[in-house]
Amino acid sequence: MTIQGWLLIAAFVGILLAITKPVGLWLFALYEGRATPLHRVLGPVERGFYRLSGIDPKEEQGWRRYALHMLVFNLALLLLTYAVLRLQGLLPLNAGGLPGASADLAFNTAVSFTTNTNWQSYGGESTMSNLSQMLGLAIHNFLSAATGIALAFALFRGFARRSAGGIGNFWTDVTRVTLYLLLAVCIVYALFLIASGVPQTLASSVDLTTLEGARQTLTLGPVASQEAIKMLGTNGGGFFNANSAHPFENPTALTNFVQMLSIFAIGMGLTWTFGKAVGNPRQGWAILAAMMTLFLIGVTVAYAQEAAGNPVLHQLGAMGGNMEGKEVRFGIAASALFATVTTAASCGAVNAMHDSFTALGGMIPLFNIQLGEVVVGGVGAGIYGFLLFAILAVFVAGLMVGRTPEYVGKKIESREVKLAVLAIAVLPLTILGLTAVATVTQAGLAGPLNKGPHGFSEILYAFTSAVGNNGSAFAGLTANTPFYNGLLGVAMWIGRFFVIIPMLAIAGGLAAKRYTPETAGSFPTTGPLWTGLLIGIVLIVGGLTFLPSLALGPIADHLAMVNGQLF
């Protein structure tokens, strides 16, 4: 570990904290439906969309209707993407003559991008045409991210409203977030990337002569536009197979730093928006403190393990940290930080291969996802996932003080607790259940490249990433098979929507409740005690659930490495 590495991490955290409130203010304006400076330009576009679609933007929806419209919208997008991928060979903007995707790969990819997972069982530049990248995939990067933020707004309204029957309008929320936040920021972001050297063209490739006189074909395409929303929307799907380790996606140290900032920016801003929505910004800061504590623990362990390197190689004379699978231009600190950021935020973009991390260094990205999108998390999904844990935390606090718990003025009763437990239990049940299936079937065992505990980690990471809607991978797993494409597709759908429905039911129930003012007997939910309880609940639930699987995978892998055995 170096001083420069720690300064990088400190600068990253400091800038994030500085932009949290400004981002939160912008999000709060969208949450409330207030005009922004962009309304002068984009307001007519928004109103024109409502007229063409017949939507009344002021119509309130109950949680069931909100959920139904959200599900129908996402199902329609899934079918569109599936059709585009299957028919790719017949569609334009396919200069390379790439054929349509197989049925199982098209299903997996369509589900993946619909659910904001962006798991890729394919190499982007060798599988997808420019049309498929833009119409089939990049459109999801905007709309799946907008859906997540809209769902967070719905839950905020559940806590903020009193005796209300509605939690907002899904179409209004998605439209405003897309126009006034995601699209607006990504135009500027893409221009920055283009100026930094990221391609943005409809040309599929260019032929060059190298310094040695050889001919080389470089794949090009509309990369910058997809890269911007890939990061800002915590999507993670790379235009190229190497993702953000590719110099055309992430050419400089500055773009690497900005990409990490953009992954966290909206998720952190939403914590402030929540506090403002419920009338007490300290509530948001308390959640952010818990998130950042978990993040800092993770990045410290990952950086320390990668800087320590591999003792087996040290005995052979190869001293230093672990540079396997890392870009020399980024180094260990920036790679460990990026890996922690992308899995803490359910983004899935990578600038280094997680499969090549040390056993415990690779365990941090894995465990981040297993915690259920609560360490900052995906846009929208992170904050509503954390609020589910907050409901459990106030329930535990209520048991300790012997009274019905309350949170930000709403009584937390049995219905909310049951629904929160149901939503949280989806992840471990699906992850561990499908991992078990893969480890006892011939088709599942044919996937991992490595044997022993590392091979088990490759399978465990795949299903953790799918259910957690992250999309990164221990890339040693061969996942482009009917078995893995089908099973991972199902896992991604369950991990996204089987959490959302109980969460919206909670939002609807809370919105209908009256406000309960705090009293001397209320458990405080803004101080260090509350932050510590939140962290404890997250770690205990995650630790107790996944510790046995971690012991079989990365922990066993680490112990074997210490004793001189590598897998």
Side-chain angles (χ1 to χ4, degrees), residues 6 122 133 191 289 395 411 506 510:
W6 287 115
Y122 60 88
Q133 294 276 17
L191 291 173
F395 172 70
K411 289 286 186 182
I506 291 173
L510 291 175

Side-chain angles (χ1 to χ4, degrees), residues 142-481:
F142 283 94
L143 296 177
S144 65
T147 296
I149 298 172
L151 292 167
F153 286 175
L155 184 56
F156 293 176
R157 294 185 186 107
F159 281 107
R161 291 182 173 178
R162 308 178 185 183
S163 303
I167 54 173
N169 185 300
F170 172 75
W171 304 109
T172 305
D173 288 339
V174 168
T175 301
R176 291 177 59 82
V177 168
T178 302
L179 280 179
Y180 303 115
L181 177 66
L182 300 178
L183 187 60
V185 173
C186 283
I187 290 174
V188 178
Y189 195 174
L191 291 173
F192 160 74
L193 292 174
I194 293 169
S196 301
V198 178
Q200 181 68 20
T201 175
L202 292 180
S204 296
S205 63
V206 60
D207 294 326
L208 301 173
T209 302
T210 68
L211 294 176
E212 293 81 9
R215 297 290 294 173
Q216 183 178 6
T217 299
L218 296 181
T219 302
L220 301 174
V223 183
S225 56
Q226 186 160 327
E227 190 72 17
I229 186 57
K230 154 191 167 179
M231 296 302 183
L232 185 68
T234 64
N235 298 282
F239 192 96
F240 298 98
N241 190 39
N243 210 282
S244 287
H246 197 292
F248 280 178
E249 289 199 27
N250 191 8
T252 68
L254 178 60
T255 60
N256 190 67
F257 192 78
V258 172
Q259 285 183 12
M260 290 189 292
L261 288 174
S262 60
I263 292 172
F264 265 13
I266 294 177
M268 293 188 65
L270 281 168
T271 61
W272 192 91
T273 303
F274 170 72
K276 183 69 172 177
V278 298
N280 186 354
R282 292 180 61 195
Q283 296 286 352
W285 289 119
I287 291 176
L288 182 60
M291 287 180 172
M292 292 308 294
T293 300
L294 291 168
F295 166 71
L296 289 172
I297 293 172
V299 74
T300 299
V301 174
Y303 183 28
Q305 290 299 314
E306 295 307 297
N310 190 324
V312 177
L313 298 181
H314 294 170
Q315 293 175 5
L316 298 175
M319 305 303 292
N322 176 34
M323 278 298 295
E324 179 188 343
K326 297 180 178 65
E327 285 287 297
V328 175
R329 59 202 170 101
F330 298 139
I332 291 175
S335 299
L337 177 59
F338 199 111
T340 309
V341 168
T342 195
T343 51
S346 78
C347 177
V350 296
N351 75 346
M353 299 302 104
H354 296 178
D355 197 38
S356 296
F357 276 36
T358 61
L360 295 186
M363 185 182 73
I364 294 302
L366 174 62
F367 192 56
N368 276 344
I369 308 170
Q370 288 176 339
L371 291 180
E373 290 194 298
V374 299
V375 188
V376 180
V379 288
I383 185 67
Y384 68 64
F386 209 101
L387 289 173
L388 294 175
F389 278 96
I391 288 173
L392 287 188
V394 296
F395 172 70
V396 172
L399 292 177
M400 290 189 291
V401 300
R403 57 174 288 166
T404 302
E406 59 196 44
Y407 184 51
V408 294
K410 293 297 179 73
K411 289 286 186 182
I412 304 299
E413 298 173 303
S414 62
R415 179 179 182 274
E416 287 76 34
V417 175
K418 291 175 182 176
L419 288 169
V421 170
L422 177 62
I424 292 171
V426 165
L427 270 70
L429 287 174
T430 311
I431 290 170
L432 298 177
L434 295 181
T435 299
V437 171
T439 54
V440 297
T441 58
Q442 184 176 357
L445 292 174
L449 175 66
N450 299 92
K451 304 299 180 183
H454 196 83
F456 175 77
S457 295
E458 290 173 348
I459 297 175
L460 177 64
Y461 195 106
F463 286 104
T464 300
S465 180
V467 179
N469 298 141
N470 183 267
S472 63
F474 265 26
L477 184 74
T478 301
N480 191 10
T481 64

Side-chain angles (χ1 to χ4, degrees), residues 94-183:
N94 185 8
L98 297 171
S102 64
D104 58 288
L105 179 59
F107 166 76
N108 180 279
T109 306
V111 173
S112 176
F113 280 76
T114 301
T115 58
N116 198 248
T117 308
N118 295 41
W119 170 274
Q120 294 173 284
S121 292
Y122 60 88
E125 64 267 50
S126 61
T127 310
M128 298 295 169
S129 68
N130 283 344
L131 183 69
S132 294
Q133 294 276 17
M134 293 186 294
L135 178 61
L137 306 182
I139 187 175
H140 280 290
N141 290 352
F142 283 94
L143 296 177
S144 65
T147 296
I149 298 172
L151 292 167
F153 286 175
L155 184 56
F156 293 176
R157 294 185 186 107
F159 281 107
R161 291 182 173 178
R162 308 178 185 183
S163 303
I167 54 173
N169 185 300
F170 172 75
W171 304 109
T172 305
D173 288 339
V174 168
T175 301
R176 291 177 59 82
V177 168
T178 302
L179 280 179
Y180 303 115
L181 177 66
L182 300 178
L183 187 60

Side-chain angles (χ1 to χ4, degrees), residues 550-566:
L550 295 175
L552 291 173
I555 294 175
D557 197 6
H558 173 76
L559 295 176
M561 179 187 69
V562 171
N563 287 280
Q565 184 178 10
L566 299 177

